[in-house]
Amino acid sequence: MFFLLVNISANAKWKQNGVTVAGGHGQGDATNQLYLPYSLFVDDNQTVVIADCTNHRIIQWKNGDTTNGQVVAGGKGQGNRLNQLDGPTNVLLDKDTDSLIICNQGNQRVVRWSHRSGKTQGKILIDHIYCYGIAMDEQRYLYVSDARKHEVRRYQLGEKNYTIIASGKGKGAARNQLSIPTYVFVDRQQNVYVSNEQNHRVVK
Ligand SMILES: *[C@@H]1O[C@H](CO)[C@@H](O)[C@H](O)[C@H]1NC(C)=O
Ligand SMILES: *[C@@H]1O[C@H](CO)[C@@H](O)[C@H](O)[C@H]1NC(C)=O
């Protein structure tokens, strides 16, 4: 893989209008629609993979094909069967296994779903967690926020045990507490950034 670095000059002109790359046909569950999309990532081929929360599915849009998306996980109604999702809030790509790791919040689970087409069900990675946000570092540790326990946990991929790395002291506004942690980002030095929704701040 190589990266083409583009230098953008300070006085560059940016396009004034955005281009719809996914959805744009109102709220609904057709493959050209979204219904409260929460988060997304873009892979190396500029495929946009979206947690389409209220459709209980993960849907992707390939670069250059803005007509329809392809459902890659869930999309079988709200439920807790392994072929369903319930209110997914966040999704990331584990490149090593080409699988999607999904915060399946309504089912209080983190699930893994193969990104290859034709896979009709996921696998439970972590259970009993009101996960909102998820991130993975370069050593493939998972960082998951639990919005009901007001903490962020670190898991070795595939393990059920974990370390609490932020808060764990209940809901609150002290500096060792969180109040509804939502999205999580981990940088290359393993600094973890958390959007601490109810405290109206982002903490590291
Ligand atoms: C990008 O597309 C190429 C060609 O279709 C494919 O071989 C490759 O696996 C794709 N990469 C990703 C990250 O999907
Ligand atoms: C989880 O358990 C495994 C296997 O017993 C152990 O190797 C690992 O260190 C544990 N991780 C944590 C975070 O406790």
Side-chain angles (χ1 to χ4, degrees), residues 119-130:
K119 294 290 183 245
T120 51
Q121 66 174 47
K123 207 182 134 199
I124 299 172
L125 279 182
I126 305 167
D127 221 342
H128 309 297
I129 181 164
Y130 198 75

Side-chain angles (χ1 to χ4, degrees), residues 12 22 36 38 42 51 53-54 74 80 107 123 129 134 138 154 171 173 176 191:
L36 300 185
Y38 265 52
V42 181
C53 189
T54 309
N80 66 5
N107 290 328
K123 207 182 134 199
I129 181 164
I134 192 165
E138 288 177 347
R154 181 179 193 254
K171 179 178 179 159
N176 63 356
N191 294 302

Side-chain angles (χ1 to χ4, degrees), residues 82 101 107-112 122-129 140-144 146 149 151-164:
L82 288 177
I101 299 180
N107 290 328
Q108 301 190 39
R109 294 172 184 159
V110 175
V111 295
R112 179 210 281 281
K123 207 182 134 199
I124 299 172
L125 279 182
I126 305 167
D127 221 342
H128 309 297
I129 181 164
R140 300 173 75 221
Y141 279 88
L142 288 178
Y143 299 77
V144 191
D146 185 320
K149 297 241 169 76
E151 63 195 25
V152 178
R153 303 172 177 179
R154 181 179 193 254
Y155 290 85
Q156 200 167 349
L157 197 61
E159 300 281 354
K160 307 273 185 223
N161 54 349
Y162 58 86
T163 310
I164 295 176

